[in-house]
């Protein structure tokens, strides 16, 4: 429920409420939007302009997420007018950054980039991290759209570093940036690196913490896997994205996931399922008045129908979409769709229609090619003076090199002829510069790619594995698990124990963060001493730790948890003259859980359940662990409840729970300024 903010405005409290609503919107856009509108209505008259501007910024993004483009743009206009009215320096700087898009529409790419590059010193001298972050995001978008991939990647890497300094939503910003890096690699036709980038994103958080970002990353993973012909894995990623998007009520993401699933079934030649998902995607997009989504879904639906023998009906639907994309000047999309339509006609034996589409595609390809080339040459001749000309020639050379790789054989002669004319104009030096630029670009990309390794696989403080190590292990786990099942090892599942240090905030508040770091390192040491050599111990984040114990039987799991609680809580931690009682609360589960196939309950969903078991331990007194032994009802009945409300699943006798109590504590709970620690998380 949104607060009413009585009395004098407290900007800090109001911003905290805004953060709460935005976090809710990550899980449930509809409810988040409802609460934010009420929040905006209740803002006190004396609230600062900065809070009003941030509220409008969040509101516009929620409108776009809901597929309501009209209201999203109206809200952005309201934000712009307010920023100009109050003359807030930071807001005006961000508006100046975004003005690059208006400049692009009026004067083209080169002028827009020149506008941004002139702002570099102004942004660098600003102490507003949010403005610096958005500046790099905008500049990277322009660089990538004009094939300056090395420069775009540099901006994204700078964004990763800045994300830790943002005042709000650092985790979401980091995940989004890795998603952009993945998209850049897909644009570069390097799906392997795109897949690696999504793994980095998943190492930041999970679906239970950041569901919206998780859905976006899952879809990017699916696209990368599909490009690598790993179609079954791609489909699984899309289905995971769809499940989370539906659970968290993210309608735009639901439509996007449905579209990609339909597309994947077309690739797999399962046309009936492709039709079903395409119809569902179209209905969802229509409900949001998303004309682009409807047009995309119609393409998949038309192709699915055509391949099932309904050629005219399918072809007409595809042509409707072609008309939509053509009207909106999306020529490259039109070219791709026409090519898919020609293949459908050919498969149906409609050779006359197929030939007609091929001719249209060739004509359009030539138009795109000639148009792009003309724009590049015009930019070279008209928009840059002699000092900039060398840089633009290099850009044109890189553009040529990238396009050469994509042009089909029947257009190769045109390319050669055009290059020959350019060689005549530039007196032969162009080809030499093209070679130099290509060589330089490859070296730059190689150098920048090595910077992606700046995230170590070990936690810097404790020396334990970090979250990324575990994600990498899980990503490569599928094939191993299938082999083990065939070999009869299904009854020895893997185990995950997720734990959290009790009252850790009070340790920091009482003795300081330096002592808190000592406690974290000592916990890490004790955990390493209590596990098997083949077990993996990692710092999951903050005061959370995770133990991954492969091939464990139920008795070993319970015994391991008992040892963990005893090792941590039996003996107080000491540092100099300071004695600190430390306990942990844990949740644990096996994977696969209760013989449920992992396609229904994979490691990530199991970890989400373990997290709820940990929280259950917190609410029942801490210094204990709750684990899930087995299901008492069919998994089809239990999982919908179990993955959202463990307490309800226990109450309804759906699952058998194991409780492990930690060692008794002689020392009283920590108190800070008279506030009892039991009230703290």
């Amino acid at each position: 429920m949104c607060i009413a903010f009585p009395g004098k405005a407290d900007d800090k409290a109001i911003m905290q409420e805004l953060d709460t609503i935005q976090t809710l919107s990550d899980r449930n856009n509809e409810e988040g939007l409802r609460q934010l509108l009420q929040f905006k209505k209740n803002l006190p008259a004396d609230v600062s302009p900065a809070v009003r501007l941030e509220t409008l910024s969040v509101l516009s993004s929620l409108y776009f997420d809901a597929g309501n483009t009209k209201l999203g743009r109206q809200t952005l206009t309201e934000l712009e007018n307010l920023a100009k009215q109050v003359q807030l320096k930071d807001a005006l700087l961000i508006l100046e950054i975004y003005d690059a898009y208006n400049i692009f529409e009026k004067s083209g790419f080169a002028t827009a980039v020149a506008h941004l590059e002139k702002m570099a010193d102004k942004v660098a001298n600003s102490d507003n991290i949010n403005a610096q972050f958005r500046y790099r995001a905008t500049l990277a978008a322009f660089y990538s759209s004009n094939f300056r991939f090395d420069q775009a990647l540099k901006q994204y890497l700078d964004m990763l570093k800045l994300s830790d300094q943002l005042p709000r939503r650092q985790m979401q910003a980091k995940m989004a940036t890795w998603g952009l890096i993945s998209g850049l690699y897909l644009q570069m036709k390097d799906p392997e690196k795109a897949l690696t980038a999504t793994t980095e994103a998943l190492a930041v958080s999970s679906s239970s913490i950041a569901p919206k970002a998780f859905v976006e990353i899952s879809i990017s993973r699916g696209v990368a896997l599909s490009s690598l012909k790993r179609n079954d894995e791609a489909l699984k990623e899309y289905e995971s994205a769809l499940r989370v998007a539906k659970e968290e009520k993210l309608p735009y993401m639901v439509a996007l996931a449905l579209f990609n699933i339909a597309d994947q079934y077309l690739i797999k030649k399962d046309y009936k399922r492709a039709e079903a998902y395409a119809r569902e995607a179209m209905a969802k997009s229509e409900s949001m008045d998303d004309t682009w989504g409807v047009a995309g879904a119609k393409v998949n639906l038309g192709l699915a129908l055509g391949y099932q023998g309904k050629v005219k009906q399918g072809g007409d639907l595809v042509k409707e979409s072609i008309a939509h994309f053509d009207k909106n000047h999306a020529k490259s999309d039109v070219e791709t769709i026409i090519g898919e339509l020609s293949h459908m006609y050919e498969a149906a034996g409609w050779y006359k229609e197929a030939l007609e589409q091929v001719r249209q595609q060739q004509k359009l390809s030539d138009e795109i090619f000639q148009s792009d080339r003309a724009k590049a040459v015009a930019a070279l001749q008209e928009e840059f003076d002699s000092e900039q000309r060398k840089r633009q020639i290099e850009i044109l050379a890189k553009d040529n090199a990238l396009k050469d790789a994509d042009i089909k054989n029947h257009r190769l002669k045109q390319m050669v002829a055009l290059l020959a004319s350019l060689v005549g104009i530039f007196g032969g030096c162009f080809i030499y510069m093209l070679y130099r630029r290509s060589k330089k670009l490859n070296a730059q990309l190689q150098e920048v790619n090595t910077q992606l390794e700046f995230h170590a696989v070990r936690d810097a403080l404790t020396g334990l594995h970090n979250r990324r190590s575990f994600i990498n292990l899980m990503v490569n786990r599928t094939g191993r698990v299938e082999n083990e099942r065939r070999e009869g090892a299904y009854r020895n599942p893997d185990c995950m124990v997720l734990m959290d240090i009790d009252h850790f905030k009070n340790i920091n508040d009482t003795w300081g963060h330096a002592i808190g770091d000592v406690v974290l390192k000592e916990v890490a040491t004790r955990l390493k001493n209590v596990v098997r050599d083949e077990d993996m111990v990692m710092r999951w984040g903050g005061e959370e730790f995770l133990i991954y114990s492969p091939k464990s039987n139920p008795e070993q799991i319970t015994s391991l948890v008992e040892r963990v609680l005893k090792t941590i809580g039996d003996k107080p931690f000491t540092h100099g003259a300071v004695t600190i009682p430390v306990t942990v609360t844990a949740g644990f589960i096996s994977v696969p859980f209760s013989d449920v196939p992992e396609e229904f309950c994979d490691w990530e969903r199991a970890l989400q359940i373990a997290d709820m078991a940990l929280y259950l331990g917190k609410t029942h007194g801490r210094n204990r662990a709750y684990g899930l032994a087995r299901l008492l009802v069919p998994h089809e009945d239990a999982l919908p409840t179990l993955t959202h409300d463990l307490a309800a699943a226990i109450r309804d006798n759906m699952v058998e729970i194991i409780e492990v109590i930690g060692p008794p504590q002689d020392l009283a709970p920590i108190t800070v300024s008279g506030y009892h620690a039991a009230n703290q998380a």
Side-chain angles (χ1 to χ4, degrees), residues 434-451:
L434 179 116
Y435 166 75
R436 285 185 58 197
R437 178 57 179 164
S438 176
K439 185 175 181 180
K440 181 180 178 182
L441 176 61
N442 288 336
Q444 288 176 332
L445 285 177
Q446 183 176 2
E447 179 183 351
V448 175
N449 285 336
T450 60
Q451 297 179 42

Side-chain angles (χ1 to χ4, degrees), residues 90-101 103 115-116 118-119 122:
D90 291 338
L92 290 173
L93 179 59
I94 291 175
L95 286 176
E96 188 178 355
I97 293 168
Y98 286 163
D99 196 43
Y101 292 102
I103 295 172
H115 165 78
L116 287 170
K118 285 178 183 177
M119 292 184 63
K122 183 188 295 187

Side-chain angles (χ1 to χ4, degrees), residues 623-643:
N623 188 27
R624 66 193 63 219
Y626 283 102
L628 287 86
R630 62 190 178 93
L631 291 177
L632 303 175
V633 297
H635 70 82
E636 296 89 347
D637 300 329
L639 287 178
T641 302
L642 186 61
T643 54

Side-chain angles (χ1 to χ4, degrees), residues 616 632 641-642 645-655 657:
L616 191 66
L632 303 175
T641 302
L642 186 61
D645 191 344
L646 177 59
I650 296 171
R651 185 179 60 247
D652 295 340
N653 294 319
M654 293 181 173
V655 62
I657 294 294

Side-chain angles (χ1 to χ4, degrees), residues 175-186 190-199 201-202 212-228 233-234 237-238 241 253 256-257 260:
M175 289 188 75
T177 303
W178 278 116
L180 290 169
I181 292 173
S182 175
L184 180 69
Y185 277 127
L186 287 173
D190 192 341
E192 287 283 4
K193 287 191 175 67
L195 195 60
T196 299
T198 62
T199 300
L202 291 176
K212 177 184 168 186
F214 174 84
V215 171
E216 294 172 341
I217 295 302
S218 294
I219 290 175
S220 293
R221 284 185 67 80
V223 174
L225 289 165
S226 182
S227 299
L228 292 167
E233 294 174 74
E237 291 291 342
Y238 294 143
M253 294 298 170
L256 186 59
N260 281 282

